[in-house]
Amino acid sequence: MQSTAQRFSVGKGETALYVGELAASVNDDILKQHFVNAKSVHVCRDHVSGKSLGYAYVNFVRPEDCIEALEKMNYSLINGRSCRLMLSERDSSRRATGIGNIVVKNLPATVDDKSFHDTFSQWGNVLSCKVIKNPGATRCYGYVNYDSIGAAERAIDLVNGTILFGREIQVGHQIPKGEREPAEDTNKQRFTNLYVKNIAVDVTEEDLGELFGAFGRVSSLLIQRDEYNNSKGFGFVNFEMAEDAERAVNQLHDLEYHGKKLFVSRAQKKSEREDELRRHHDRVEKPAKYQGVNLYVKNLAEDINDDVLRQEFSAYGQITSAKVMKDEATGLSKGFGFVCFASPEDATEAVIKMNGRKLSTKEIYVALAQRKEDRRTYLETQQQRSMSPPNTTKRLLQPLEPVKAMPTQLSVESLEPFSAETQRQMLGERIYSIV
């Protein structure tokens, strides 16, 4: 990792530091004693009350002194509180872009600013970062401001969904408050129209109206019927007041009525039902389609593109897709990709033959691609493994069937005696120990 002086071009404008997280008791004299090489200091205060705003600016004569203070005094204690330093950016338009800003969620409350900064410095040059904590909370979140969009993308790609500080964290781009779309929480939406199913065939509109009318004025009610006027077992009830509809849902859902347990919920629009079905397909059916045929390939050289990847793997069977993942901003390869075969047998042979093989200038790593849920399980297992006694870990991580002797050379023939699950364990990212 480069030093701060190397990472930032030291020019005329970089002789001032922003100092944040100051205690209310810090004044100009205390700040000047802390930054002995400073030309001038200024604690910003409210114009009316004169109270400190919690931040200040420190000016230096030489850019080198400014950079040295940033390197050595960031998170140093001033009146018992660690300060947060960053190069002063006077251009408000540049501050407002937030192009390299990311937000990190689900952090443990034990994380402090310095450890947070040191951790995320691994993936790029951090201009500033801050951990936000609420009193008594067991979780917190933080912001990291990188010097480039590339560094922010790299951190998101490598850290999102991984175990860090003992927890699985979520990392994403920070979206300015004014640009955020309000999350649609169906539980908090105001509604008056209810969907009711599991209605017994002998229940009439009058019966349903009497049942729901106990909670407020019903404006309309309908039981769906076929061409012979037989009940289809579901219908709709529309209240005049949203409060009455909510009380009806809370008290009538799962109620035993005429021998059947009612299902009562907010009536969904067609677009909402379609979105829900699409999410179910993406979560359940789509991953199953690619189970055992999709390969994850990493450590790719920069000159490897989709065509080269397809060509190198095509010797082992029919390929349905080959994709090298690229940075959206720069168009450069991220160093990993995916190859999808038409059959699991071809994918298995490709893992055996291509894993560890040199493509261009690098030895590649090839394994069966995992779903996000499987990766999470793997990371949690790894975390437990590192924290548990050896004998406990071994018992937890045994495969579904014992493998008495690991084949010295993996091949399609050597894998045939084992089940598909064990083959995946032996070929994949070694999720389980082979004992």
Side-chain angles (χ1 to χ4, degrees):
M1 182 65 67
Q2 294 174 310
S3 68
T4 308
Q6 291 173 314
R7 298 199 303 263
F8 301 101
S9 57
V10 181
K12 270 189 174 181
E14 293 173 343
T15 57
L17 289 179
Y18 166 90
V19 187
E21 317 304 320
L22 293 176
S25 59
V26 175
N27 55 30
D28 289 359
D29 291 337
I30 293 173
L31 206 60
K32 187 67 175 71
Q33 292 174 14
H34 193 75
F35 297 93
V36 293
N37 292 331
K39 174 186 175 183
S40 63
V41 300
H42 175 65
V43 175
C44 297
R45 298 183 178 277
D46 183 89
H47 291 299
V48 178
S49 66
K51 292 182 179 179
S52 170
L53 297 175
Y55 65 92
Y57 292 96
V58 179
N59 298 295
F60 296 86
V61 176
R62 301 188 310 155
E64 292 80 9
D65 293 335
C66 178
I67 296 300
E68 183 180 12
L70 178 61
E71 283 189 319
K72 296 182 177 180
M73 304 186 73
N74 200 11
Y75 305 110
S76 58
L77 295 178
I78 304 179
N79 275 21
R81 182 185 292 184
S82 63
C83 65
R84 179 169 57 91
L85 305 182
M86 62 182 293
L87 292 172
S88 175
E89 179 54 73
R90 300 290 185 180
D91 187 344
S92 59
S93 63
R94 289 183 63 183
R95 288 201 306 268
T97 59
I99 194 168
N101 291 0
I102 63 173
V103 59
V104 184
K105 300 179 181 178
N106 201 36
L107 293 168
T110 53
V111 174
D112 57 29
D113 289 334
K114 189 175 188 311
S115 61
F116 189 57
H117 179 281
D118 292 345
T119 299
F120 278 85
S121 293
Q122 300 176 68
W123 298 290
N125 303 323
V126 175
L127 300 180
S128 176
C129 70
K130 184 178 182 180
V131 176
I132 311 297
K133 300 181 180 181
N134 293 318
T138 58
R139 297 185 301 175
C140 61
Y141 63 96
Y143 297 101
V144 181
N145 177 209
Y146 284 107
D147 64 351
S148 68
I149 183 66
E153 291 280 5
R154 183 163 53 249
I156 293 171
D157 184 52
L158 296 175
V159 186
N160 185 39
T162 63
I163 302 295
L164 201 61
F165 304 111
R167 286 191 177 184
E168 180 183 339
I169 63 171
Q170 292 87 47
V171 185
H173 289 289
Q174 180 191 353
I175 303 174
K177 194 171 184 179
E179 298 176 14
R180 296 175 195 165
E181 294 183 5
E184 191 172 340
D185 188 346
T186 56
N187 292 323
K188 295 182 180 179
Q189 282 184 343
R190 305 294 287 174
F191 56 88
T192 58
N193 196 23
L194 303 183
Y195 170 64
V196 186
K197 70 176 182 179
N198 291 344
I199 302 173
V201 293
D202 60 333
V203 173
T204 65
E205 281 81 355
E206 289 75 18
D207 295 332
L208 212 59
E210 184 179 346
L211 176 66
F212 282 84
F215 299 93
R217 186 182 294 274
V218 175
S219 59
S220 63
L221 182 148
L222 172 70
I223 294 178
Q224 292 287 352
R225 298 182 179 275
D226 60 19
E227 63 270 28
Y228 302 107
N229 202 36
N230 295 321
S231 170
K232 291 185 177 181
F234 70 94
F236 299 90
V237 178
N238 194 29
F239 283 89
E240 290 186 358
M241 302 294 293
E243 293 81 2
D244 299 336
E246 291 172 10
R247 286 192 298 115
V249 170
N250 293 334
Q251 297 189 38
L252 295 181
H253 180 63
D254 280 342
L255 175 74
E256 191 85 19
Y257 186 68
H258 283 235
K260 298 190 75 173
K261 188 176 288 188
L262 290 176
F263 176 92
V264 184
S265 72
R266 180 182 69 88
Q268 290 180 306
K269 298 177 183 177
K270 183 179 179 181
S271 60
E272 291 178 317
R273 294 196 302 273
E274 290 175 347
D275 288 342
E276 190 171 303
L277 290 171
R278 192 178 300 112
R279 286 194 298 270
H280 175 77
H281 176 270
D282 290 342
R283 187 175 65 252
V284 178
E285 297 179 24
K286 192 175 178 180
K289 178 181 176 182
Y290 298 104
Q291 186 72 30
V293 296
N294 197 25
L295 302 185
Y296 169 63
V297 187
K298 72 176 181 179
N299 203 34
L300 294 172
E302 294 180 358
D303 58 342
I304 301 295
N305 56 28
D306 296 352
D307 293 335
V308 174
L309 196 64
R310 177 183 288 271
Q311 182 180 348
E312 293 292 339
F313 279 82
S314 61
Y316 305 102
Q318 181 184 350
I319 293 175
T320 59
S321 66
K323 180 72 173 176
V324 175
M325 306 308 293
K326 295 182 178 180
D327 187 294
E328 292 183 3
T330 64
L332 299 176
S333 168
K334 291 185 176 182
F336 71 94
F338 298 91
V339 178
C340 191
F341 282 87
S343 73
E345 293 77 17
D346 294 341
T348 298
E349 185 176 3
V351 173
I352 295 170
K353 299 291 180 62
M354 292 296 289
N355 186 38
R357 179 175 168 181
K358 192 170 185 179
L359 286 190
S360 185
T361 59
K362 293 184 176 181
E363 288 187 1
I364 62 171
Y365 171 87
V366 185
L368 292 172
Q370 294 176 295
R371 293 182 301 163
K372 187 175 180 179
E373 293 81 2
D374 295 333
R375 289 198 304 274
R376 183 182 296 115
T377 302
Y378 166 66
L379 292 168
E380 290 174 350
T381 303
Q382 291 295 92
Q383 182 72 11
Q384 293 172 1
R385 186 176 184 179
S386 64
M387 298 173 64
S388 303
N391 59 340
T392 304
T393 302
K394 188 171 183 179
R395 185 174 64 254
L396 287 172
L397 302 183
Q398 280 187 334
L400 297 180
E401 60 179 301
V403 180
K404 297 180 180 178
M406 187 74 172
T408 55
Q409 180 65 43
L410 286 179
S411 66
V412 175
E413 292 75 17
S414 67
L415 291 172
E416 283 183 356
F418 304 104
S419 68
E421 178 64 25
T422 302
Q423 288 180 22
R424 283 195 290 272
Q425 295 168 10
M426 297 167 73
L427 289 171
E429 297 207 2
R430 295 340 191 243
I431 298 176
Y432 303 100
S433 299
I434 305 298
V435 296

